[in-house]
């Protein structure tokens, strides 16, 4: 799920940079940083759907 969010953030950052759009606080740089944070959390295993039940 975090990887999908990161992909959306990277896509928005690309659109912002290509169109030259810059809102008050949301810029392409902020979206790239948020995307990298989501990728790092995804790679760390945060939000993973794992079951901790004992296997037989």
């Amino acid at each position: 799920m975090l990887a999908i969010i990161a992909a959306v953030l990277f896509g928005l950052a690309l659109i912002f940079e290509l169109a030259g759009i810059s809102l008050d606080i949301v810029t392409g740089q902020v979206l790239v940083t948020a995307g990298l944070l989501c990728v790092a959390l995804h790679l760390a295993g945060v939000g993973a759907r794992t079951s901790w039940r004992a296997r037989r």
Side-chain angles (χ1 to χ4, degrees), residues 10-33:
F10 287 139
L12 285 174
L14 178 63
I15 291 170
F16 274 30
E17 289 295 324
L18 291 176
I21 299 172
S22 177
L23 302 176
D24 290 335
I25 193 166
V26 181
T27 61
Q29 179 103 16
V30 171
L31 291 174
V32 168
T33 304

